[in-house]
């Protein structure tokens, strides 16, 4: 587990569109990472919708969102 204020080690994950994203791709930018325990459940759907609905606010604040 990473503590607040500590750097997160670089990692890479598969993304939509046959892409791979790395944490280093967002170096120097604000990044919001969100996780949920299981796909296709009411909880993950609500969380995803909340981020979608607030997307413009995050962009205005200069943040990227990955979930």
């Amino acid at each position: 587990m990473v503590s607040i204020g500590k750097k997160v080690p670089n990692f890479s994950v598969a993304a939509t569109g046959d892409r791979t994203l790395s944490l280093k791709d967002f170096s120097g930018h604000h990044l919001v990472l969100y996780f949920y325990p299981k796909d296709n459940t009411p909880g993950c759907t609500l969380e995803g919708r909340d981020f979608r609905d607030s997307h413009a606010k995050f962009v205005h604040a200069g943040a990227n969102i990955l979930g």
Side-chain angles (χ1 to χ4, degrees):
M1 177 178 249
V2 177
S3 300
I4 294 173
K6 301 287 183 178
K7 286 190 174 187
V8 176
N10 188 46
F11 61 88
S12 297
V13 295
T16 55
D18 271 343
R19 297 183 322 165
T20 300
L21 297 176
S22 295
L23 186 59
K24 68 181 178 180
D25 296 337
F26 299 92
S27 181
H29 300 275
H30 296 290
L31 181 63
V32 176
L33 298 175
Y34 74 93
F35 302 88
Y36 43 85
K38 187 175 180 185
D39 277 339
N40 299 316
T41 62
C44 80
T45 300
L46 289 173
E47 186 174 20
R49 287 179 181 167
D50 285 345
F51 277 107
R52 177 202 64 203
D53 294 346
S54 299
H55 185 259
K57 293 177 185 176
F58 282 97
V59 169
H60 183 71
N64 294 286
I65 303 170
L66 299 178

